[in-house]
């Protein structure tokens, strides 16, 4: 039985209708090709089952085809959080098309992350990195610029120190959530937020305060947590233990894990959802659709967000990227919200 002929770069070029040089430009992330041409080349390579010789490429360019991502979260929490699982899946979907890999590292703090990024770049272990979870006066922007490392920052430009950034419009989405609850007649609204140090937590906090001011809501409370179900449950229990005149009639959560935990606490305390309290989650994962009642949520395409972040990083490497928002999360009303009693 004869062995099928080996697919070569020439075959990919012929399938895509381009030169061998264009295929090389595409897979080496060099400028000079339109996005449509790059996509056509990657599609042809995928259809033919062709991948470049990564060893030869790294020897000739002294670069490896790896993208770095360091996340400052406990491994236990990261494994439970649907957002990052979907985000990483979106990143991987683009890296796979380009025969690249993701180097994921969990770190304890920003200093450790900067040391990791420094080691990755100086050791030629990565071609670029994705930076997440920005905070005010974040030192990682200056560190990346000193290294000259290609990065894309996931965060609002006010937080990312001039780095190329991709973000969702959290402020507009939070304002919409507060307006929606107020339109249902809720006047005592609480928010169970994330870590206080994170920039997007601060943006959401300010947006809730501003929306409450514009709507004349005086009974708004906000608490911060570590994003875990345990902390979300603890915060919910405290809010629902307030006297009847102070107890919130609606609670907005900064992620779906805490919202699910809050729903369990309400059942435990005999507080009916949505009759006695309405619940609204951020990040519309499958969790929100499996609860009873189903959870209303601020929904956005997290997988698509991760994919766009990866595409933007390749643009940074090629010198062709610019900062841009991806989308504004959209409110999806479900069974956990209802008019105030």
């Amino acid at each position: 039985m004869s062995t099928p002929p080996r697919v070569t770069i020439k075959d990919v070029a012929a399938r895509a209708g381009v030169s061998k040089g264009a295929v090389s430009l595409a897979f080496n992330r060099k400028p000079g090709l339109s996005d449509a041409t790059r996509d056509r080349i990657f599609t042809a390579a995928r259809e033919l089952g062709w991948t470049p010789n990564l060893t030869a490429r790294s020897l000739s360019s002294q670069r490896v085809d790896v993208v770095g991502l360091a996340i400052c979260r406990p491994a236990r929490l990261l494994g439970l959080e649907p957002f990052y699982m979907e985000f990483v899946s979106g990143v991987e979907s683009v890296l796979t098309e380009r025969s690249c890999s993701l180097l994921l590292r969990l770190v304890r703090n920003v200093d450790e992350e900067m040391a990791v990024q420094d080691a990755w770049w100086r050791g030629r272990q990565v071609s670029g990195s994705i930076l997440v979870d920005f905070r005010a006066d974040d030192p990682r922007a200056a560190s990346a610029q000193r290294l000259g490392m290609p990065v894309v920052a996931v965060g609002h430009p006010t937080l990312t120190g001039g780095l190329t950034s991709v973000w969702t419009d959290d402020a507009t989405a939070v304002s919409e959530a507060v307006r929606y609850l107020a339109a249902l007649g809720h006047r005592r609204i609480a928010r169970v937020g994330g870590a206080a140090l994170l920039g997007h937590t601060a943006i959401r906090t300010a947006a809730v305060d501003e929306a409450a001011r514009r709507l004349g809501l005086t009974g708004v409370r906000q608490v911060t947590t570590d994003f875990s179900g345990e902390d979300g449950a603890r915060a919910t229990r405290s809010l629902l233990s307030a006297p009847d005149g102070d107890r919130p009639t609606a609670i907005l959560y900064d992620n779906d894990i805490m919202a699910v935990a809050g729903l369990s606490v309400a059942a435990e305390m005999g507080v009916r959802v949505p009759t006695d309290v309405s619940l609204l989650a951020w990040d519309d994962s499958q969790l929100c659709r499996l609860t009873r009642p189903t959870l209303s949520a601020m929904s956005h395409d997290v997988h698509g967000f991760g994919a766009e972040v990866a595409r933007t990083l390749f643009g940074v490497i090629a010198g062709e990227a610019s900062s841009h928002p991806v989308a504004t999360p959209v409110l999806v009303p479900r069974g956990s919200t209802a008019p105030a009693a």
Side-chain angles (χ1 to χ4, degrees), residues 28 37 71 116 124 149 197 276 291 300 313 334 340-341:
N28 283 290
T37 299
I71 301 176
V116 166
R124 299 185 182 275
M149 178 173 61
L197 288 175
D276 301 323
T291 60
H300 61 118
L313 178 58
R334 296 198 183 97

Side-chain angles (χ1 to χ4, degrees), residues 216-270:
L217 302 176
T218 58
V220 172
R221 294 181 59 190
Q222 301 195 66
V223 295
T224 56
T225 68
D226 63 3
F227 288 110
S228 70
E230 293 86 353
D231 232 20
R234 190 177 303 112
T236 303
R237 194 170 289 109
S238 175
L239 290 167
L240 295 182
S241 296
D244 286 345
D246 295 327
R247 191 172 74 187
T249 61
I251 305 175
L252 169 63
Y253 294 86
D254 264 21
N255 71 6
D256 41 11
I257 292 177
M258 294 195 296
V260 171
L263 183 62
S264 296
V265 168
E268 163 200 314
M269 297 179 67

Side-chain angles (χ1 to χ4, degrees), residues 29-250:
R29 305 185 302 280
K30 300 295 185 183
L33 299 175
S34 69
D35 288 342
T37 299
R38 289 180 194 276
D39 289 342
R40 194 164 73 250
I41 291 169
F42 293 137
T43 298
R46 188 165 59 251
E47 290 173 349
L48 292 171
W50 180 83
T51 57
N53 187 323
L54 298 182
T55 302
R57 288 170 65 189
S58 64
L59 288 174
S60 64
S61 65
Q62 295 300 303
R63 299 285 291 277
V64 293
D65 294 291
V66 176
V67 166
L69 171 61
I71 301 176
C72 187
R73 298 284 175 90
R76 176 187 57 82
L77 178 59
L78 189 68
L80 295 172
E81 193 167 25
F83 174 86
Y84 268 118
M85 295 300 98
E86 280 291 303
F87 179 80
V88 169
S89 173
V91 170
E92 286 276 20
S93 71
V94 173
L95 299 188
T96 299
E97 288 181 356
R98 304 190 183 216
S99 300
C100 295
S101 301
L102 181 67
L103 179 56
L104 177 63
R105 175 77 173 268
L106 301 186
V107 296
R108 290 166 294 183
N109 52 54
V110 169
D111 289 337
E112 182 180 351
E113 179 178 346
M114 288 193 295
V116 166
Q117 300 284 3
D118 185 282
W120 282 350
W121 183 245
R122 295 185 189 279
R124 299 185 182 275
Q125 294 177 263
V126 298
S127 302
S129 278
I130 297 167
L131 306 182
V132 298
D133 285 343
F134 274 80
R135 58 203 67 196
D137 301 317
D138 199 299
R140 290 176 294 167
S143 177
Q145 288 164 345
R146 281 194 303 271
L147 287 173
M149 178 173 61
V151 300
V152 60
V154 180
H156 194 272
T158 56
L159 302 167
T160 56
L163 298 175
T164 299
S165 307
V166 180
W167 69 95
T168 57
D169 188 354
D170 285 10
T172 298
V174 167
S175 298
E176 180 186 357
V178 174
R179 287 196 302 271
Y180 165 70
L181 293 171
L184 291 177
H186 296 282
R187 291 297 177 266
R188 298 192 304 276
I189 299 171
R191 169 173 161 261
V192 178
L197 288 175
L198 294 179
H200 66 264
T201 298
I203 287 172
R204 295 179 192 181
T205 298
V208 168
D209 286 340
E210 176 61 16
R213 186 189 66 79
R214 288 178 177 273
L215 294 167
L217 302 176
T218 58
V220 172
R221 294 181 59 190
Q222 301 195 66
V223 295
T224 56
T225 68
D226 63 3
F227 288 110
S228 70
E230 293 86 353
D231 232 20
R234 190 177 303 112
T236 303
R237 194 170 289 109
S238 175
L239 290 167
L240 295 182
S241 296
D244 286 345
D246 295 327
R247 191 172 74 187
T249 61

